[in-house]
Structure formats: structure tokens, C-alpha cells
Amino acid sequence: MLGILSFSLLLATVVLLVLLDRRLWASERRYRHLVEHSLGLICCHDLAGKLLWINPEAARILGYDPIRAVGHSVADVLAPAARPLFGDYLDQIRRHALASGFMRILTRDGAERTWFYRNVLFEDHVLGHALDVTELHQAKTELEKTQQELEQRVAQRTAALQASEEMFRSVSLCCPVGIFQTDVEGALTYFNPRCQAILGLGRGHRLDEDSGQSLHPEDRAGVLASWLEAMRSGRAYLREFRLRLEGGVTRWVRVHTTPLLDDQGRIVGHAGAVEDLTERRYIDEQLRQAQRMEAVGKLAGGVAHDFNNILTAIHGYSELLLERPECPEPMRREIEEVRKAAERAGALTRQLLAFSRRQVLQPKVLDLNALLADLYNLLRRVIGEDIDLQTIPGPALRFVKADPGQIEQVILNLAVNARDAMPRGGRLTMETRNIDLDAAYAGLHPGVQPGPYVKLAVSDGGSGMDEETRSRLFEPFFTTKAGQGGLGLSIVYGVVQQSEGHLRVESQPGVGTTFEIYLPQAEAAAVEESESPAVEPAAGGSETILLVEDESPVRDVVRTILERSGYSVLEAVDGATAFHFAQTHAGPIDLLFTDVVMPGLSGPELLQRLEVQRPGMQVLYMSGYADKTVPGKYFLQKLFTKEALVRKVREALEGRRYGTIGA
């Protein structure tokens, strides 16, 4: 019984073991099937790194036979760059029984693959599991590269934006034009220093409300209405207007704005620029005034020239009539009045010619200090005892080249003008000094050339002038005194301009006026000495004179006077006719007596052609009109008397004693 029981137990044990073995075998078969058909990479190696087993998927990727791979070192399948790190991997397994990370392996055909592994130490061997993440790693690498490129682009864009902002800030700070930006309500959100200097506004100020306080009263309504309309309609804004600043200073500005839009096209603000036009308008006004004065001067010069010729004939024939013994006394008195009237009219034409810069000048090198000293006593008598005259001569004053008589007339006219501005007396100051005008000053005053000048300033403490009066100050016959129109300041303007100088006026009502005259420095190093008085000429002569004058009344009266004085006269209506006479006349021609300005050949041009044919011939010019200084030593200005004509002709003929005349 006991034996049967023992056998039964034994049989049951065997059956149990068989069942357990079959379960174990089935379990191993399942796990082997799972490992061998796994898409993952599974291997087993010892602590030296020798492969004990590798699954087919790993062998397939590596390109090796799974059986032949056993016995080889794991290091044999590593990429060359990864092999030096294999020892560190084994040390990590021994110390921590765990290792994980990325591994670069080399397939049989030489391709590199990337595996992510996780290996554990199990007793005396290492079980490893890995995934082929080559494509994922490449994608990650590409992603990191793309990210780096994006970061570089962002960094470059950021740097470019910062550089652009810095450049804009630098340009904005030094820009001569004001730059600003407003919100949709018109409040300033940005402005550069120039904008604040022009408008005087800060952040948050509204252009329509805060700037309205500084707008010129005459411009305020129109400017605000147009600005509000531009804000409402979203159109660009462009307008020029005036600002009234502290101290009553008026400044012209131009504002140009354009709307700022968001992505939906809605107006979010305005960007604009403001430009100070005061200086430009001043230059434009100076240019317009110069052009206006030039036009008036041409008209005045032309009228004076023609009128002067008529007066010369009237005056000459009046003198000839007065010489007739048969002329009765009542008629003589009437003719005398005609002659005097012609002389008074002649003085007026000379003033017009001075204003028009057509007066014939005889410039000399001058010392303005010496000129003022010589005029001091005359000036004291002209201005009266109730005006204190002070002269302040500048040290080491440069010389200038100008007609001394005309400069004296300028000083006298300015003194008279100052006297009239101070009816209750006051102080009149005349100061000279050297000054250099630079290119910046010349740019603000059309027609002025940079260089060394001598400045003559005539200042009074009189009633002064407003802006409108100053703008018309030098116009002929303009005056603020009832019934006292004249040419005094017009003459000042004309003489200074014809002397290649420059004239400025500073004046304020109730403060006074300063006239500043700038004459260019002369090249000569010393003042020219006055000429010795000519020898007293004879009343007439018997020489031959070639008379050239295009105006027949003047030519007829001059010919009559010369013939009555004993001279032989060849009469020519122009330069071409005179040249023909010089070629065909068989006898000598002792004197060329010619007008300066004529149609065709001028007097100097005629002389230049005749010098070769008539080397001994002398020249005497006559004119009441000239664009420039008349060359030559002898000159007779219209309107002239019979006595002056005969004396000057004799003086020119006698000039052969002192050398050639004319060139």
C-alpha cells in the first residue's frame, strides 16, 4: 500500500514536472519568438564586450549573420569615432549595472547608423535593447540645424532692426527737419529735438490744441480747420504758416503729415515732418527785393539816360543863345531860367543814375577813417547842434576802392536820414572796422561774395522802421514823410551796389536804425595820391576832333560849341561811321571825343580799333550812363556846360604832354 502511494506520488511529481517543463518551454518559445521577430535591436554580451547573442533584426541592420556575429566584440561594429568611448561604457555597466544613450554603429557596407540603447547587467552578462533612430536623429539634427539657422536669422534681423533704429535715432537727432508722430487723436507720441525746437511742444501735446496758442493770429483759423479736416478724412496734410514765438518773433514753418494705417486699414495715427522756412523765406525775399530793385534800376537808368541827353541839348543851346549879343534882356532872363531848370533836372537824372548803378564812377583807393575825419565838420553842420555825432575809427583799417565823391554822398545822405529820424535830437554814431564775410553769410544774402571787407556802420537812436517800411526803403521817391519823397537812400543803395559792396539795415520801431555798408578790401597797399591840377587850358584851338555821339541833339550842340571854339569837327553817328572816317580822312585826327555807351561799338571798343591806325590820337569820353568804370584819364559827364566842355577838350588835347590817354 505504501509502495503504491509512493509510486503515485512519484508519478504525479513526474507529470507535474513534465507539465512545468512544457509550460517553461512554451514560455521560452514565446519570448524567443518575440525577441527574434522584434523590430527592436536585442543583444547579449559579456563584461568584456564579446557578443553572446544577437537577434535577427539587429543582424539584418548590421548586415551580419546572427550566428557568425557571436564571439565578436561589440566594439567591432561601432563607428570609428565611437570606439574610444567603449571602455567608458563597460566601466559604467560594471559600476551601475545600467547604461543608456546614443551609439553610432557601422554596418557591414560602411554606413553609419544611430542607435538608442538601454543595457542592464544580469549576473555575469549584459542584456541590451536598442532602437534604430537614425532617421529620427537625422531629423533632429536637421531640426536643430534649422533652429540654429532660424536663431541666426532672428539674431541678424534683431541686429539689423537695432542698427536701423540706431540709425533712425542718429538721423532723427541731427536732422535739420523736425520729425514727429501722433496718435489718432493728434497727440504727439514721438518727436525729435528739432521738432520740439520749432514747435515748442512735448510728448502728449495735441497739435490742434497746444500748437494753436503759438499760431500767428492771421493764420490760426485756417491752419486749425485744415488740420482737423485732414485728421477726419485721413488725407495727407501739407501747409505753410506762421508761428508767433516769445518776444514777438515770427517764424515760417511747413508741416507735412501722412496717416498711419493698421492691418485693417484703420487710421492709428499720423507721421509728419515740420520744416523751418524762415531762413529760406528771408533769402527768397532778399532775392525778390534785389530783382525788384534791379528792374526799377534798369527803368530809372534808361529814363535818366535818355532824359540826360535831352537836357544836355537844352542846356547847351540855352548857353549858345545867351552868348548872342542880339538877344534882348527879357528873353535872356527867360533863357537863363530854362538853363537853370535844365541844371536842376540834370541833378535829378544823376541821382537816378546813381540809384540804377549806371553812374560813371572814378574810383580811387580810400581810407574810410581819413574820409570820415575830413567830413566831420561838414556833418556837424548838416545834422545840427542837438545831435551828438560820434565817430569810432577801426584800428588798422583796410583800404577800399570806390569813388570818393560818391562815398561822401552816401555818408551825407545817411546822416540826413538819421537827423530826420531824431527830430528831438539824439546820438548819431559812425563806426568803421575790418570784417570777414564767410560763405554762410554769403548764402543768406544773394549777390554777396565771401572775403575781407571794411564795414561802415551808421547808427541812430531815432524812431526806427517796421518790416514793411524796410522792404521799400531804397525804392526811388519812397518816403514816410508827407511831401518829402526823394532819392537819398536810393542813391546810397545804388552807389554801394555799383562799388561791389553790400548794404544791410537793422531797425525796430522806437529803438533806432543801423545802416551797415560792407565794401570789399582793395588790392592796393596804399592810398592813391591826388592828381596834380592841370595846366590852365586855352579857350579853344584849331585841332581836328572826331566827334562820335548817337543822339543827334547832343551831337549837334557839341559840334556847334566846338566849331565856335575854332576846332575842325568830323561828325559820326556811331562807332562804325567813326571807324570809316578814321580810315578815309587824309589829315590828322588829334582827339577822339566819343560817347561811352552806343549801339554797336562802344567808345572804348572804338578806341581799341583806332589805336593802331591813329597812334597819336588822344581820347575824351562823355557819358551820363555806364555799366562799369570808364577807362581812360579824361571824362566829361553829361549834363555839362559849354565852359566845362571847352576846358575838358583843351585839357585832353594838352594831355599829349603827359603821355598816351585812354588805354
Side-chain angles (χ1 to χ4, degrees), residues 544-549 554-560 562 568-574 578 581 589 591-595 622 645:
T544 300
I545 299 175
L546 176 56
L547 172 63
V548 191
E549 168 61 59
V554 177
R555 188 175 62 251
D556 292 342
V557 73
V558 171
R559 185 198 69 244
T560 302
L562 291 177
S568 297
V569 180
L570 300 175
E571 185 179 351
V573 298
D574 53 31
F581 282 167
I589 298 178
L591 177 67
L592 171 65
F593 187 15
T594 177
D595 195 2
M622 62 175 166
L645 170 61

Side-chain angles (χ1 to χ4, degrees), residues 442-485:
L444 292 175
H445 299 83
V448 176
Q449 298 296 324
Y453 285 77
V454 176
K455 173 182 174 181
L456 168 62
V458 180
S459 305
D460 65 66
S463 55
M465 295 173 285
D466 57 21
E467 185 175 350
E468 181 180 357
T469 302
R470 290 198 305 272
S471 67
R472 301 186 58 193
L473 189 60
F474 300 113
E475 294 180 7
F477 304 106
F478 173 76
T479 181
T480 57
K481 310 180 193 69
Q484 296 187 25

Side-chain angles (χ1 to χ4, degrees), residues 544-545 568 570 579-590 614:
T544 300
I545 299 175
S568 297
L570 300 175
F579 186 71
H580 175 72
F581 282 167
Q583 288 180 313
T584 58
H585 183 67
I589 298 178
D590 301 288
R614 302 281 180 170

